[in-house]
Every structure is written in structure tokens, then in C-alpha cells.
Amino acid sequence: LLVQTADHVEQAWKEHYENGNLKETGFFEKGQKNGSWTTYYTNGKINQEGKYSLDKKIGVWKTNYYDGATQKN
């Protein structure tokens, strides 16, 4: 998926493991990670959720265990 306006290009990204499950999803803007991103374990459960700005992690990232339980910080 490619979203484009006059001065803004954003591309949705999905990467999969060999087993077909999602590995990560997010958006690129001008070739850099930007906005919400989610990474997954090979079992399909969410590993991490958070946001990027200009290819750098920002804010609080939620991390889960392999079984899907939320890690406590």
C-alpha cells in the first residue's frame, strides 16, 4: 500500500516468516520507519508494539513474552 500526497509519501510494510506468519508491520516515510510498528514472534503472537520517528524508536514500547503475556517493566 502506498499513500501519497503532494509532499508526503508513506508506504505500508509487511514482512513474513517462512511459515507465513507476520514478522513485522509498519510504515515507511521517505525511506525511514515512521509511525506505528508491530513485531511478531514466529508463533504469530505480538512481540513489540510502538512508534518510530525518523527511523528511531520513540515513546513507550509494549513488549510481550512468547506466549503473549505482557512483560512488566
Side-chain angles (χ1 to χ4, degrees), residues 24 50 59:
E24 67 179 351

Side-chain angles (χ1 to χ4, degrees), residues 39 41 46-50 57 60-73:
T39 61
Y41 289 109
I46 293 173
N47 176 359
Q48 290 189 322
E49 295 177 288
K57 287 183 176 182
V60 176
W61 279 68
K62 180 180 171 186
T63 302
N64 299 308
Y65 292 106
Y66 188 78
D67 67 1
T70 302
Q71 290 185 13
K72 305 290 183 204
N73 295 330

Side-chain angles (χ1 to χ4, degrees), residues 18-66:
E18 287 186 21
N19 68 7
N21 286 344
L22 280 172
K23 185 174 185 178
E24 67 179 351
T25 60
F27 291 91
F28 280 97
E29 183 178 340
K30 297 180 182 177
Q32 296 182 321
K33 289 181 178 181
N34 204 50
S36 297
W37 277 76
T38 304
T39 61
Y40 301 85
Y41 289 109
T42 55
N43 66 2
K45 300 218 183 263
I46 293 173
N47 176 359
Q48 290 189 322
E49 295 177 288
K51 292 188 178 191
Y52 277 92
S53 179
L54 302 174
D55 244 8
K56 294 184 179 162
K57 287 183 176 182
I58 59 169
V60 176
W61 279 68
K62 180 180 171 186
T63 302
N64 299 308
Y65 292 106
Y66 188 78

